[in-house]
Amino acid sequence: MDNRAEVSAFLKSRRAKITPEQAGMPVYGQRRVPGLRRGEVAMLAGMSVEYYTRLERGNLSGVSDSVLDALAQALRLDDTERDHLYALARAANISPARVRRRPKKVTVRPSVLRIVEGLRDQPAYVRNNRMDILAANPLARALHSEVFEVEPVNTCRFVFLDPRATRMYPDWERVARQGVGVLRVEAAKSPYDRELSNLIGELSTRSDAFRTMWGAHDVHVFTGGTKRFHHPAVGEMELVHETLELPGDEGLSLTVYSADPDTPAADALKLLSSWAASQDRDAVASHADTER
């Protein structure tokens, strides 16, 4: 898989976002292109126009770290965008013959499962970089009850293909853009991941919103922040979330939600826990009735 088109589109999209004024460049006359011209980026990066043109055509093969750093500085890339540029460069130097065509099946280690289950008062789950939820504690399943109705459980598929997502996430567009950014980062790191390619293809085919956001070439990495939910049984709550990569499991991360003490969100989490417990009791009673 040649990633030249991906490289080219990313560099063009970043160049288009920077105005000459932001870059400290003089502006003369009417400009026909948004953002900076190729020659202006080349000058800021300390390279020839011809060489930058080669890069923007998607050819990152053999490019040194110093050139990538200069390019990242000229384009004012943030840390996530810089890492994305480096991932694209690494992919450009990988021979297809060296790529494992069938990635090994990823499982969540028992010790990690114990951590997830041990967080009884906080929703917690483990996901991969395709946004598949691989393990979750009861409170996380309750918080994402509608997401768990369809397997495989994938938050991006729910966000773009389930009409209930706009109700569940009051800040739907922000959540959607972040999810697309995560997939974009993973696509650069794992260009031969067939399951990822299939997911992107499915979402591109079935969702106009996904196609538009995917075309923006924005990238995102989850760390921490807040997210608003609207739960059908509990109502609206704003939770704090932290996402931690699992060093022993490449591509997996642990996400934990919490609420500040003595806040409406903390009360909502307690109510959610009670609701989840009642759902479990109803399920057990229903199963017992069936067995009789």
Side-chain angles (χ1 to χ4, degrees), residues 152-280:
V153 182
N154 181 279
T155 56
C156 264
R157 188 178 281 113
F158 176 80
V159 164
F160 286 101
L161 302 184
D162 195 311
R164 295 174 297 178
T166 53
R167 181 192 65 195
M168 177 175 170
Y169 300 111
D171 302 314
W172 180 87
E173 184 171 349
R174 179 169 69 92
V175 172
R177 289 189 182 279
Q178 289 175 346
V180 172
V182 170
L183 294 185
R184 178 65 78 178
V185 167
E186 184 62 13
K189 291 180 179 179
S190 307
Y192 297 94
D193 185 333
R194 177 159 303 177
E195 290 185 44
L196 176 63
S197 298
N198 290 343
L199 174 63
I200 293 169
E202 177 189 359
L203 296 178
S204 297
T205 301
R206 299 177 61 188
S207 170
D208 293 338
F210 181 86
R211 280 197 304 276
T212 299
M213 294 181 188
W214 185 255
H217 290 269
D218 293 330
V219 291
H220 183 75
V221 172
F222 283 114
T223 51
T226 61
K227 183 180 289 187
R228 290 198 299 152
F229 293 87
H230 186 278
H231 191 275
V234 177
E236 188 165 318
M237 66 187 92
E238 183 172 336
L239 301 178
V240 178
H241 65 85
E242 296 290 341
T243 297
L244 309 172
E245 292 188 1
L246 299 175
D249 303 276
E250 185 178 357
L252 299 188
S253 60
L254 169 66
T255 296
V256 181
Y257 289 92
S258 63
D260 293 330
D262 302 320
T263 62
D267 294 336
L269 270 185
K270 292 177 183 177
L271 184 58
L272 181 66
S273 181
S274 298
W275 178 82
S278 68
Q279 294 294 107
D280 287 342

Side-chain angles (χ1 to χ4, degrees), residues 8 41 44 116 118 127 204:
S8 178
V41 175
L44 290 169
V116 172
R127 66 161 177 81
S204 297

Side-chain angles (χ1 to χ4, degrees), residues 65-125:
D65 288 352
S66 61
V67 169
L68 294 175
D69 284 340
L71 190 55
Q73 185 172 354
L75 293 173
R76 299 195 167 198
L77 303 186
D78 61 26
D79 290 343
T80 302
E81 292 170 328
R82 181 187 292 265
D83 290 344
H84 184 64
L85 178 63
Y86 267 83
L88 290 171
R90 286 193 295 272
N93 289 284
I94 294 176
S95 168
R98 294 167 49 197
V99 176
R100 185 195 299 268
R101 293 295 178 177
R102 292 184 179 178
K104 75 176 179 180
K105 185 176 178 60
V106 177
T107 57
V108 182
R109 288 180 289 123
S111 59
V112 176
L113 289 174
R114 287 194 293 271
I115 293 173
V116 172
E117 293 293 337
L119 296 169
R120 300 185 184 279
D121 299 325
Q122 298 169 299
Y125 62 80

Side-chain angles (χ1 to χ4, degrees), residues 39-76:
E40 291 166 337
V41 175
M43 183 177 69
L44 290 169
M47 60 184 67
S48 69
V49 177
E50 291 77 13
Y51 187 65
Y52 175 72
T53 299
R54 170 206 157 187
L55 299 181
E56 197 175 274
R57 285 175 178 165
N59 188 356
L60 292 184
S61 178
V63 174
S64 67
D65 288 352
S66 61
V67 169
L68 294 175
D69 284 340
L71 190 55
Q73 185 172 354
L75 293 173
R76 299 195 167 198

